[in-house]
Amino acid sequence: MSSELFERCIAEAATVAENVYFHVLGEPTLHPGFGLFLKKLEATPLKLNLTTNGTTIARVSERILECPAMRQVNFSTHAYAELPRKTALAHLQDVLDFCKMANAVRPDLYINLRLWNVGDAASRSWNETMLANVGEAFGSNIELGHFCSRHKSFNVTGRIYLHQDSRFEWPAASSSTERSLATSSSTERREGGDPSITSSNYSVWIPSGQSPSRMTAAGTCRALDTHVAILHDGRVVACCLDHSGQISLGQIQEQSLAEILDSPTATNLREGFEKHELRHPFCQSCSFCKRFGK
């Protein structure tokens, strides 16, 4: 995402949102313009909720803590379960060091240590190790057995929380877009790619002639209610998981965000969610929205 497009995105986001996220897949802190984007965001009333895997936190911690627009940092520590234990522990230590610094100099900053792999037997050993290290660092005593679907967040100290949830799979791109996205998606996963924007807190498409009863599935989602996403090329999509642009609502370079959110496609999707209908095939294949039925 270019600097000019970023400025357009945050200007439009500020008309409908209070918070933004630098995250639709990829690692935002790897973007070469990360520091510049933080500075540009500071000139707006928007607050930033940053989601990161934490592998670069030692390098960018000063920028994050000095940014007055930074409201919350989410660390995907469940990702470390797939790394060699020595590497995982080194990354976790960097995250815990950041938490201690934030607790001292930015006590207003919310921090979530995410373990979004509950129920995954292969991750249990790492989860136990991670909780033990958090307990040693902060004197907390949180056990895996405390987790339930209606009690997912546990206070560690101050505004630092452990957030547990079940694993989910990113929705798959359709066959028509998989080929064109294969190269760019793999690059984003490896190098971080462009930190697309998700706007939050404004605080399916059904082909003509098709019956809704034949084209929908039961379920709901918070897309277009609590958030909307803008991809690195300016496409506006309904959901922060739609990294491949399966539900493109419009182009931010051509319309205002308010106009895009009021489009027939967006209205139809939102109406479906309100009626507990998943009207788009992308939504019907998404495992994340199943959480909202619990």
Side-chain angles (χ1 to χ4, degrees):
M1 178 178 287
S2 68
S3 177
E4 294 76 17
L5 179 55
F6 178 80
E7 289 183 353
R8 167 72 177 176
C9 289
I10 58 175
E12 287 299 319
T15 66
V16 300
E18 298 174 0
N19 301 305
V20 294
Y21 296 73
F22 288 180
H23 182 72
V24 182
L25 202 61
E27 170 53 45
T29 62
L30 288 177
H31 192 281
F34 178 68
L36 175 63
F37 287 178
L38 289 182
K39 287 295 184 182
K40 290 182 179 294
L41 191 67
E42 290 173 13
T44 76
L46 294 166
K47 296 299 181 182
L48 175 60
N49 298 321
L50 183 71
T51 297
T52 172
N53 59 32
T55 58
T56 65
I57 194 62
R59 177 170 59 83
V60 299
S61 59
E62 186 174 331
R63 286 179 177 176
I64 290 174
L65 293 174
E66 291 179 349
C67 177
M70 192 71 64
R71 174 186 175 273
Q72 179 171 306
V73 181
N74 304 313
F75 289 104
S76 300
T77 60
H78 48 267
Y80 303 163
E82 301 178 16
L83 299 177
R85 185 55 57 95
K86 183 178 181 180
T87 303
L89 288 172
H91 288 321
L92 178 60
Q93 188 58 55
D94 286 343
V95 169
L96 296 179
D97 289 344
F98 172 85
C99 290
K100 291 177 180 178
M101 285 191 292
N103 209 30
V105 302
R106 283 289 306 272
D108 61 306
L109 185 67
Y110 288 97
I111 298 176
N112 279 325
L113 304 174
R114 289 179 173 177
L115 280 182
W116 284 14
N117 55 12
V118 174
D120 179 21
S123 300
R124 185 174 182 85
S125 174
W126 166 251
N127 291 357
E128 291 174 344
T129 298
M130 187 268 195
L131 291 179
N133 278 264
V134 170
E136 182 178 347
F138 297 104
S140 60
N141 183 24
I142 300 173
E143 299 177 0
L144 292 176
H146 291 169
F147 170 80
C148 71
S149 61
R150 298 191 181 277
H151 187 196
K152 301 179 179 182
S153 188
F154 305 87
N155 182 249
V156 175
T157 185
R159 291 190 173 183
I160 302 173
Y161 292 84
L162 175 76
H163 191 272
Q164 295 180 308
D165 214 325
S166 55
R167 180 187 293 272
F168 76 94
E169 299 295 329
W170 283 81
S174 69
S175 57
S176 62
T177 59
E178 276 180 337
R179 289 187 295 276
S180 63
L181 288 162
T183 302
S184 61
S185 294
S186 62
T187 302
E188 287 185 355
R189 289 187 181 92
R190 184 175 64 252
E191 300 178 356
D194 288 314
S196 307
I197 297 175
T198 303
S199 301
S200 70
N201 293 347
Y202 303 138
S203 42
V204 201
W205 174 75
I206 302 175
S208 59
Q210 295 291 337
S211 167
S213 63
R214 294 177 57 189
M215 298 294 294
T216 65
T220 189
C221 184
R222 294 172 184 167
L224 297 174
D225 177 23
T226 63
H227 68 277
V228 65
I230 306 173
L231 302 185
H232 65 90
D233 58 3
R235 282 177 295 167
V236 178
V237 294
C239 171
C240 59
L241 298 183
D242 188 8
H243 62 89
S244 59
Q246 297 293 291
I247 313 177
S248 181
L249 304 176
Q251 202 79 21
I252 199 66
Q253 300 96 321
E254 300 170 1
Q255 293 178 278
S256 70
L257 188 53
E259 289 173 333
I260 293 171
L261 294 174
D262 197 37
S263 67
T265 301
T267 300
N268 197 9
L269 281 167
R270 191 160 44 238
E271 179 186 272
F273 296 145
E274 292 171 354
K275 295 182 178 180
H276 286 255
E277 296 174 357
L278 302 178
R279 295 182 173 181
H280 196 284
F282 180 83
C283 305
Q284 295 168 14
S285 67
C286 176
S287 63
F288 191 84
C289 64
K290 295 177 181 178
R291 296 182 176 189
F292 306 127
K294 294 179 181 179

